[in-house]
Amino acid sequence: MTTPIAAAGQAVAQARLEIVRPRIADERQRRIPLRFNPTDYKVSKSNTFAEIGIPGLETPPLQYVRGGSEELSLEALVDTSDTLEDVRERYVDRLRSLMTPDSREHAPPIVRFVWGRSVFTGVVAKLDITYQLFLPDGVPLRAKLDLGLKEYRSAAAQAQDPPRSSPTVEKSYQVRAGDTLTSIAAALYRRPDAWRELARANGITDPREVRPGRILTVPRLR
């Protein structure tokens, strides 16, 4: 186990951004270093729920709709006061380019924030720049960066995740426009053929007659 004192004698890990896609062979072009490591960073995630309006209830039940993208935010300082270079040319412009659509991908690059063992893959969704130190002619030498990344995961990778809806727990589901018993069974059970269980549990004789807004009992599968 590495103690804080022992770690102090080791090389300091340098925080950086790496371009994951499009593929870039030249490592110097692929890596975008930060001049100083951030003092902290924040990772946040939110879920979206819909309130089910049932007359007579003071607090409406909540229906899980979907998960939100994880987000990483941090503040970083870049500085060229030792070399008197334009900090925009040395650091800022490369970070700003991460918000410009790439001609090959037709979208901004996918990047990875790396700092020691911490890795976050996403796209740069926000970049606020505050210039703080200048030469007499106005050339900026220092900039504070407020950087925000949104998580990126391909649809193929998410399809490999285990089902998030447990078929062994009874619950309810509010029908939305475009839903069918087959699509609901596929989403909740990962088994389209389980629509018969839904129909039987809710007394549905005609599976085509499932109107939006109806609350279905979702039985557990045995």
Side-chain angles (χ1 to χ4, degrees):
M1 179 178 177
T2 303
T3 65
I5 294 177
Q10 300 176 0
V12 176
Q14 183 67 39
R16 64 184 185 274
L17 293 176
E18 295 180 354
I19 298 175
V20 177
R21 210 172 76 192
R23 296 186 180 277
I24 299 176
D26 188 340
E27 186 169 329
R28 290 174 299 178
Q29 294 298 318
R30 182 168 58 87
R31 291 190 172 193
I32 302 176
L34 301 176
R35 177 66 190 275
F36 304 109
N37 288 337
T39 57
D40 56 36
Y41 62 88
K42 181 174 73 173
V43 178
S44 58
K45 183 176 175 61
S46 61
N47 288 329
T48 300
F49 293 87
E51 294 186 353
I52 302 173
I54 299 179
L57 291 185
E58 180 180 356
T59 303
L62 296 179
Q63 172 72 53
Y64 175 76
V65 178
R66 62 180 177 84
S69 298
E70 202 167 66
E71 298 182 9
L72 179 143
S73 57
L74 63 90
E75 287 188 354
L77 189 70
V78 289
D79 184 283
T80 54
S81 58
D82 54 340
T83 62
L84 301 184
E85 297 175 80
D86 190 326
V87 74
R88 294 169 297 190
E89 297 175 358
R90 181 70 178 86
Y91 292 105
V92 175
D93 288 349
R94 292 192 66 191
L95 290 168
R96 289 185 65 179
S97 69
L98 297 178
M99 301 191 73
T100 302
D102 180 82
S103 59
R104 290 165 289 178
E105 299 289 334
H106 305 291
I110 298 169
V111 301
R112 183 163 50 214
F113 170 72
V114 181
W115 188 14
R117 295 183 180 179
S118 300
V119 177
F120 184 96
T121 301
V123 293
V124 178
K126 171 189 174 183
L127 177 61
D128 290 337
I129 308 164
T130 304
Y131 294 104
Q132 298 179 322
L133 183 67
F134 306 86
L135 288 175
D137 60 359
V139 173
L141 301 178
R142 180 179 300 158
K144 183 175 73 172
L145 309 173
D146 186 1
L147 188 66
L149 276 68
K150 274 188 176 291
E151 175 188 28
Y152 174 83
R153 296 183 65 212
S154 66
Q158 295 186 60
Q160 302 301 316
D161 289 348
R164 291 180 173 83
S165 298
S166 171
T168 61
V169 179
E170 185 170 301
K171 58 187 71 176
S172 62
Y173 177 84
Q174 184 179 29
V175 179
R176 297 189 290 268
D179 279 345
T180 64
L181 287 184
T182 301
S183 68
I184 295 170
L188 298 179
Y189 297 131
R190 296 291 177 93
R191 280 184 48 193
D193 64 308
W195 68 265
R196 295 178 179 85
E197 298 291 336
L198 289 172
R200 188 161 34 248
N202 292 276
I204 298 174
T205 57
D206 186 349
R208 294 170 298 181
E209 293 294 327
V210 183
R211 296 182 178 180
R214 178 171 178 175
I215 306 298
L216 298 179
T217 296
V218 182
R220 55 181 178 270
L221 297 183
R222 299 177 181 178

